[in-house]
Amino acid sequence: MVNPKKIQQLKEKMQKFGIFEKDIMEKFILSGKKGGQKANKTHNAVYLKHLPTGIEIKCNETREREMNRFLARRLLTYKIEEKLFGTSERLKEIEKIKKQKAKKKKRQMFKYSQNI
């Protein structure tokens, strides 16, 4: 299950960006991925469409429907934030990780060149 605190934070963020449940079309579909009988027989993947912006999200990360609903809504807020402001927390985090990896690779290359 999803932590109630995280659910509350997501609801506040959705409200901040003007994302309302009435504007979201939600469907549950077969996930079509690994997970055995549970994934193949139940409709646990979530499809969301935000009607005002036309953004579509499909989430089948886990075998649990409620977790997929939460993840899909979180991804929808990220996409709308990117569309409104051109950037989002998620993109900033991705850039930070890329920089860290580049620094690590540079240090490894320097260490390797000194050993030769």
Side-chain angles (χ1 to χ4, degrees):
M1 287 301 292
V2 183
N3 186 346
K5 186 177 178 183
K6 286 187 177 185
I7 293 173
Q8 184 61 34
Q9 289 173 344
L10 179 63
K11 285 182 181 180
E12 289 170 3
K13 193 169 189 177
M14 287 174 68
Q15 191 175 30
K16 177 182 170 185
F17 294 128
I19 305 168
F20 305 105
E21 289 294 326
K22 65 180 178 150
D23 295 335
I24 298 174
M25 183 180 71
E26 180 177 48
K27 292 182 187 177
F28 300 105
I29 52 180
L30 288 173
S31 67
K33 69 181 241 180
K34 294 180 183 176
Q37 185 175 3
K38 173 75 173 169
N40 295 333
K41 288 182 122 181
T42 59
H43 292 77
N44 55 5
V46 179
Y47 169 82
L48 295 180
K49 182 171 184 178
H50 188 243
L51 299 175
T53 59
I55 296 174
E56 298 177 356
I57 303 291
K58 181 182 174 192
C59 181
N60 59 348
E61 295 296 315
T62 68
R63 290 173 42 180
E64 299 171 8
R65 180 186 285 186
E66 287 304 312
M67 186 63 156
N68 284 334
R69 288 183 79 200
F70 171 77
L71 294 173
R73 279 174 171 69
R74 187 170 69 178
L75 188 58
L76 179 67
T77 57
Y78 288 146
K79 294 276 187 179
I80 290 175
E81 184 179 5
E82 289 171 16
K83 190 169 188 173
L84 292 175
F85 302 112
T87 186
S88 70
E89 293 174 20
R90 183 179 68 127
L91 287 178
K92 289 177 186 175
E93 192 67 31
I94 289 170
E95 288 299 317
K96 181 181 174 184
I97 291 170
K98 282 182 182 179
K99 287 178 184 177
Q100 288 172 346
K101 286 183 178 181
K103 274 185 176 178
K104 186 177 180 180
K105 188 174 183 177
K106 188 176 178 181
R107 282 193 303 258
Q108 287 175 346
M109 291 301 288
F110 181 73
K111 190 186 282 186
Y112 176 74
S113 66
Q114 285 187 342
N115 290 339
I116 296 180

